[in-house]
Amino acid sequence: MTAASSPGYPAAESGPTRDTHTARRTQSETKPSFKTSEIFVYAASVIAVLIASLAVGDGSDGVDRFPADQAWLYVTLLTIGYLISRGLAKSGTRDSSDTTHR
């Protein structure tokens, strides 16, 4: 015996029911830091600052125009900027271990 159907719709079939729930996303929205271009820009910037400090050297008056302590200050500032940018990128994402449901 077949089930009656409404006009325009196929008859209901008996058998296993189809699960209509969608699979939950298991990946976070942001990439790991080593896969982003900003890590390469950060690394290149750090290397450039250190090379510039080494290359500038002493001026004609014997004064170091770009001393190592100033170069390391710039590297520290670059690191702080990089960490803030990664923090902002990750702040709005949900991790795969997040078990809260909407």
Side-chain angles (χ1 to χ4, degrees), residues 2-82:
T2 61
S5 64
S6 299
Y9 293 99
E13 297 179 14
S14 62
T17 59
R18 184 174 173 192
D19 187 15
T20 59
H21 291 82
T22 58
R24 184 166 180 195
R25 186 182 201 157
T26 59
Q27 209 174 17
S28 65
E29 293 178 18
T30 57
K31 296 181 202 174
S33 62
F34 62 88
K35 289 185 177 181
T36 63
S37 60
E38 60 193 21
I39 188 73
F40 298 113
V41 171
Y42 166 72
S45 299
V46 167
I47 292 169
V49 166
L50 295 176
I51 289 174
S53 175
L54 181 65
V56 168
D58 295 336
S60 60
D61 55 358
V63 177
D64 191 1
R65 303 267 184 222
F66 192 17
D69 60 338
Q70 187 178 11
W72 284 108
L73 172 68
Y74 290 146
V75 169
T76 303
L77 294 175
L78 283 168
T79 303
I80 291 169
Y82 174 74

